[in-house]
Amino acid sequence: MDEQQEHDDAVGTTDDGGFAALGLRPDLLAALEALGYEEPTPIQRETIPHLLAGKDLLGQAATGTGKTAAFALPALELVPGSRGDKPVALVLVPTRELAMQVSEAFFRYGKDMGAKCVPVYGGQPIYRQLQALDRGVNIVVGTPGRVIDHIGRGSLPLDAIRMLVLDEADEMLDMGFADDIESILEAIPHAHQTVLFSATMPPRINSIAKRYQTDPVKINVVRGDTKASAGKVRQMAYVVPRSHKPAALGRVLDIEAPGGALVFCRTRTEVDQLTETMNARGYRAEALHGGMDQAQRDRVMNRLRDGTAELLVATDVAARGLDVDTLTHVVNYDVPSAPESYVHRIGRVGRAGREGVAITLAEPREQRLLQNIERLTKQPIKIEKVPSVADLRAAQLEQTVNSIRESLGADDLEEYYPVLHALRGEADPRTIALAVVRLYHEAAGNTVDETEIPEYTARPERKFDRNDEKRVRDSGGAPSAGTAFLYVGLGRKAGIRPNDLVGSIANESGLTGREIGPIRITETYSVVGVPEGRVEHVIHAMKDVIIRGKNGSVRRYVDNGPQSGEKRAYEKKSYGDKKPYGDKKPYGKKTY
Ligand code: AMP
């Protein structure tokens, strides 16, 4: 693929029919249309035709690239005409959260065709899953330990499986699922497709690929070789969970006070929702739709130029060809699925030597995508703290100071003397001045949304060949020097298993599975190792998190030394009789 083609693919400027050209069934196309997906992401474009052709595939891609749909859509194509109600596709994922997320994606894409998908993960009562599997199912998404469990019980028949997907394979290995994965691979002896996605490609993944895949197509959406320039643009990112994004966007815009901002969303549905939300929050936002004719587009653009609108919300497709020189800010409401489209988007500002600002809102799990972009542009994206309520107040007061300072130089001040005269004797000049400032400040529209936006700090810099690092849990030795311990006020009595802890901490804090551990679970509480530099962040992120239906307090754990009674109890009782749903290896070891 030449460079121009690659760029075109990434930003979708080639008019190739979008999803329809990939050969998907009409009911899947209709589902994607309804979800507002306008065109495939690069990984979908590259992967789907091969999977539809029955090939094995080895893909290097991170979360946020659209990889779920890349395997889910071809898997759904296998459902119609399958024999009976036995599963035709099995997807293995590292965590309960991902199992639910992936199975929701299957549900959204496949509901018109009546596809049935069941997630199976440790931590949920097995009989509920047994019932669901028994009712008939087309696709199973599960964590390896629980999948093995079901295979052993005969509740998950494998004889109709035509596609096996290993999603986030490196994370699964990091969590000690290697043996379980191999047993599952061995348990499907007949011919089937094996699809493997991983953010990194350590040697162990390659060796699994060698042994269990036949002539796999190799796809890598992390390309670092395309020349690109982000020009004279100040680039920054904020790490915020999805639910806080509208508040965070508002806060950032209030501080940045853009002359005009173009906000990019992934889907048309998101464009409409965000436009509505921002209008409800008092911003003048307009949606730009791909389907608008030129006159309508011009009207919207004029409203941006003359300041009637401050925000233009659009998808990549809708913003094609858009050229507004009053734009000062580009906002990526999500990290774009391809680094090339980031470059293309932010090229809308900073033109002709003017300064531009590019703001990206990333979810904790999407930080890796930011690194891909930095590698492509060879420019840093600074991770900033979302301004707090106090920061915003301070910025607004400074604005008021500036306005009043300007007003001090006005030559018609005397005209207002009668007001001051009338108030004479009622209050001292200081009180009068403060009252006037207050009036002005409020009249200038300085309101503050008081929502607390949780603070996520940047993930520590990590080398890309992260597998070189020796893993605490792999080595089975002492925790590394940089490990701090969290106390989580839930233990075995609350049904807590290691995966519950790893899954919830990874999801809430953005740490990867491999950064979490060692883990020890006692009757009433658990202790989890996390990187020292991240401990406060994790405590904050875990504040209101419910694990297995319960909210346990999370704080820094202070150990009483190696022979504390708790630790001995752990060593004696912990996993003696019961296997903690499959992820037995690393956790079963007495890691410290
Ligand atoms: P994933 O990398 O699979 O976790 O997907 C990241 C996000 O992108 C999810 O919220 C998907 O719903 C969304 N998404 C996936 N494919 C597309 C597409 N072609 N157009 C717009 N959004 C998409």
Side-chain angles (χ1 to χ4, degrees):
M1 202 192 288
D2 68 36
E3 209 169 277
Q4 185 56 45
Q5 174 70 41
E6 202 172 280
H7 177 76
D8 284 347
D9 279 357
V11 299
T13 48
T14 41
D15 190 11
D16 57 7
F19 281 105
L22 300 180
L24 294 166
R25 310 159 45 89
D27 40 12
L28 286 180
L29 294 177
L32 298 172
E33 167 80 23
L35 287 168
Y37 289 15
E38 297 193 309
E39 55 179 5
T41 65
I43 191 155
Q44 292 161 1
R45 200 187 300 267
E46 292 186 37
T47 301
I48 291 173
H50 293 300
L51 292 184
L52 293 179
K55 302 281 291 177
D56 283 359
L57 188 130
L58 182 59
Q60 185 163 2
T63 296
T65 52
K67 67 178 160 63
T68 312
F71 63 76
L73 298 170
L76 284 165
E77 291 274 343
L78 300 172
V79 171
S82 60
R83 289 172 288 141
D85 270 345
K86 289 186 178 175
V88 289
L90 172 61
V91 182
L92 301 178
V93 296
T95 61
R96 168 179 83 158
E97 281 68 24
L98 195 59
M100 292 195 283
Q101 210 174 302
V102 169
S103 97
E104 275 161 26
F106 271 107
F107 175 74
R108 284 200 306 269
Y109 304 143
K111 68 171 182 287
D112 290 348
M113 48 190 285
K116 282 176 281 182
C117 176
V118 172
V120 299
Y121 43 83
Q124 192 189 41
I126 195 147
Y127 40 85
R128 213 185 303 161
Q129 295 170 3
L130 289 172
Q131 278 174 350
L133 292 170
D134 196 45
R135 278 196 293 268
V137 53
N138 306 114
I139 286 150
V140 174
V141 181
T143 49
R146 189 51 76 96
V147 165
I148 293 257
D149 213 339
H150 280 290
I151 294 174
R153 287 165 183 259
S155 45
L156 172 45
L158 298 174
D159 49 323
I161 294 288
R162 292 168 63 195
M163 184 189 286
L164 176 68
V165 181
L166 310 183
D167 190 17
E168 306 208 348
D170 50 354
E171 293 267 339
M172 288 199 280
L173 293 188
D174 282 347
M175 293 176 69
F177 283 132
D179 289 355
D180 288 343
I181 290 172
E182 294 208 21
S183 324
I184 296 167
L185 285 160
E186 300 282 354
I188 315 176
H190 60 274
H192 64 277
Q193 276 179 286
T194 305
V195 182
L196 195 158
F197 277 111
S198 191
T200 58
M201 285 291 163
R204 280 177 89 187
I205 300 237
N206 276 314
S207 91
I208 290 181
K210 273 215 186 70
R211 264 182 300 153
Y212 296 100
Q213 290 193 308
T214 314
D215 188 22
V217 177
K218 294 189 177 157
I219 303 265
N220 182 355
V221 295
V222 192
R223 292 195 202 89
D225 53 359
T226 313
K227 278 190 229 80
S229 160
K232 228 181 124 179
V233 178
R234 179 159 59 94
Q235 300 175 59
M236 55 210 183
Y238 297 91
V239 180
V240 249
R242 182 137 214 106
S243 55
H244 291 282
K245 277 190 174 181
L249 178 60
R251 192 77 52 82
V252 171
L253 291 174
D254 286 344
I255 295 258
E256 285 283 326
L262 179 57
V263 184
F264 284 98
C265 293
R266 275 184 178 137
T267 66
R268 261 177 287 143
T269 322
E270 274 172 9
V271 166
D272 288 335
Q273 280 167 358
L274 184 63
T275 309
E276 202 172 295
T277 310
M278 294 313 284
N279 275 309
R281 286 174 169 264
Y283 299 88
R284 297 183 309 274
E286 297 263 357
L288 194 67
H289 284 285
M292 285 179 169
D293 63 26
Q294 197 52 45
Q296 289 171 311
R297 283 171 71 96
D298 289 347
R299 260 201 301 282
V300 172
M301 236 77 88
N302 283 334
R303 279 202 284 276
L304 187 69
R305 283 197 191 93
D306 68 18
T308 320
E310 322 163 82
L311 306 177
L312 210 55
V313 189
T315 58
D316 287 301
V317 173
R320 256 176 220 165
L322 183 93
D323 188 7
V324 186
D325 47 18
T326 51
L327 277 184
T328 55
H329 288 63
V330 163
V331 179
N332 299 301
Y333 194 65
D334 298 284
V335 186
S337 53
E340 291 82 357
S341 60
Y342 176 89
V343 174
H344 192 74
R345 286 177 179 186
I346 74 168
R348 306 299 169 81
V349 290
R351 289 187 172 181
R354 277 195 311 273
E355 271 234 343
V357 182
I359 293 166
T360 302
L361 302 187
E363 285 170 54
R365 290 180 63 89
E366 292 174 338
Q367 292 186 62
R368 190 190 295 276
L369 293 182
L370 292 176
Q371 294 169 359
N372 294 345
I373 293 168
E374 287 180 325
R375 243 182 314 173
L376 178 73
T377 61
K378 308 214 168 20
Q379 291 178 5
I381 299 175
K382 193 155 176 255
I383 307 238
E384 304 264 13
K385 255 177 59 191
V386 177
S388 64
V389 174
D391 293 337
L392 180 54
R393 285 234 173 79
Q396 290 173 337
L397 287 175
E398 195 182 313
Q399 199 52 53
T400 296
V401 170
N402 288 337
S403 305
I404 294 176
R405 188 173 286 136
E406 254 175 58
S407 176
L408 289 178
D411 46 20
D412 59 352
L413 287 181
E414 281 303 317
E415 278 181 34
Y416 299 92
Y417 180 73
V419 177
L420 208 53
H421 186 75
L423 293 167
R424 196 183 32 140
E426 288 178 39
D428 58 285
R430 181 178 180 276
T431 309
I432 294 176
L434 288 175
V436 173
V437 170
R438 176 175 173 275
L439 264 186
Y440 167 78
H441 190 79
E442 286 181 358
N446 287 308
T447 49
V448 179
D449 173 0
E450 302 270 352
T451 320
E452 272 304 332
I453 301 171
E455 190 180 312
Y456 281 80
T457 44
R459 187 180 281 190
E461 269 305 309
R462 184 199 281 296
K463 295 261 179 291
F464 295 112
D465 51 345
R466 59 182 197 161
N467 306 290
D468 295 339
E469 290 174 24
K470 204 74 197 120
R471 299 226 47 230
V472 169
R473 276 180 278 157
D474 277 353
S475 68
S480 65
T483 303
F485 291 94
L486 290 181
Y487 167 96
V488 180
L490 296 170
R492 268 197 302 282
K493 228 162 49 193
I496 295 297
R497 306 281 182 95
N499 224 16
D500 298 322
L501 295 166
V502 176
S504 57
I505 292 174
N507 262 288
E508 295 302 321
S509 70
L511 294 186
T512 58
R514 68 190 307 276
E515 289 174 300
I516 302 166
I519 290 177
R520 128 164 98 102
I521 299 180
T522 76
E523 206 52 32
T524 51
Y525 68 93
S526 308
V527 179
V528 186
V530 296
E532 173 65 52
R534 308 278 288 154
V535 62
E536 294 305 325
H537 160 70
V538 175
I539 290 172
H540 189 86
M542 296 296 291
K543 220 170 73 195
D544 296 315
V545 173
I546 306 285
I547 308 176
R548 307 228 52 212
K550 295 186 186 70
N551 180 353
S553 63
V554 178
R555 59 174 187 265
R556 198 185 258 274
Y557 175 74
V558 185
D559 201 349
N560 300 325
Q563 287 310 311
S564 75
E566 290 158 356
K567 190 159 283 180
R568 280 198 306 278
Y570 156 67
E571 288 177 351
K572 279 209 294 284
K573 289 198 293 194
S574 186
Y575 301 112
D577 47 355
K578 251 185 167 178
K579 182 178 101 168
Y581 70 93
D583 31 12
K584 51 194 186 274
K585 290 209 50 192
Y587 306 108
K589 281 182 200 160
K590 289 173 186 106
T591 33
Y592 66 99

